[in-house]
Amino acid sequence: MDRVALRGLRARGHHGVFQKEREEGQTFVVDLTLGLDTRPAAADDDLAKTVHYGIVAEEVVAVVEGEPVDLIETLAERIAQVCLKHEGVQEVEVCVHKPQAPITVPFDDVTVTITRSRV
């Protein structure tokens, strides 16, 4: 399976279990790896035979900016389902970063990574 990756998609969301997170929001960062067969697109040099990563990026940002959820696990799942709606995408790995998570000790990042497939 071939891979198309998008790294560092940024969007402001209002996800989290604390009221302050819901009210103020924060920046979330999403990394995606889409698994698909790119041979048909490459053979014909045809965008219609692969995944349009620009559209996927817009859809992912819309999920992050959309309806708030408590957990980034839930957010990752919603993102995965949006990606799998694209016909050629057979598998997706989603990593959601929450670099401004409300943690009381110094840290660089909090991430949740999931892999989902059509199978």
Side-chain angles (χ1 to χ4, degrees):
M1 194 170 308
D2 303 319
R3 304 276 183 236
V4 174
L6 290 92
R7 301 279 181 248
L9 294 171
R10 285 178 168 65
R12 188 157 190 85
H14 294 264
H15 311 289
V17 296
F18 298 115
Q19 188 66 27
K20 184 177 179 181
E21 294 178 290
R22 292 294 184 104
E23 291 172 358
E24 296 178 9
Q26 60 191 286
T27 299
F28 292 83
V29 181
V30 178
D31 300 325
L32 301 173
T33 303
L34 307 171
L36 64 152
D37 184 358
T38 63
R39 289 175 292 191
D44 294 337
D45 198 28
D46 186 352
L47 176 60
K49 294 182 178 180
T50 188
V51 63
H52 191 310
Y53 51 78
I55 291 173
V56 172
E58 291 171 359
E59 293 171 349
V60 168
V61 165
V63 171
V64 175
E65 292 176 344
E67 181 184 347
V69 296
D70 288 344
L71 304 176
I72 57 175
E73 291 87 343
T74 306
L75 183 60
E77 185 68 34
R78 288 184 177 179
I79 291 168
Q81 295 310 311
V82 163
C83 294
L84 289 171
K85 287 182 181 177
H86 290 266
E87 185 177 330
V89 177
Q90 298 300 308
E91 181 179 271
V92 62
E93 180 181 274
V94 177
C95 181
V96 176
H97 301 255
K98 190 174 179 180
Q100 298 156 349
I103 297 175
T104 60
V105 296
F107 74 102
D108 289 330
D109 200 3
V110 173
T111 66
V112 168
T113 302
I114 65 171
T115 302
R116 299 292 182 267
S117 65
R118 291 183 182 275
V119 183

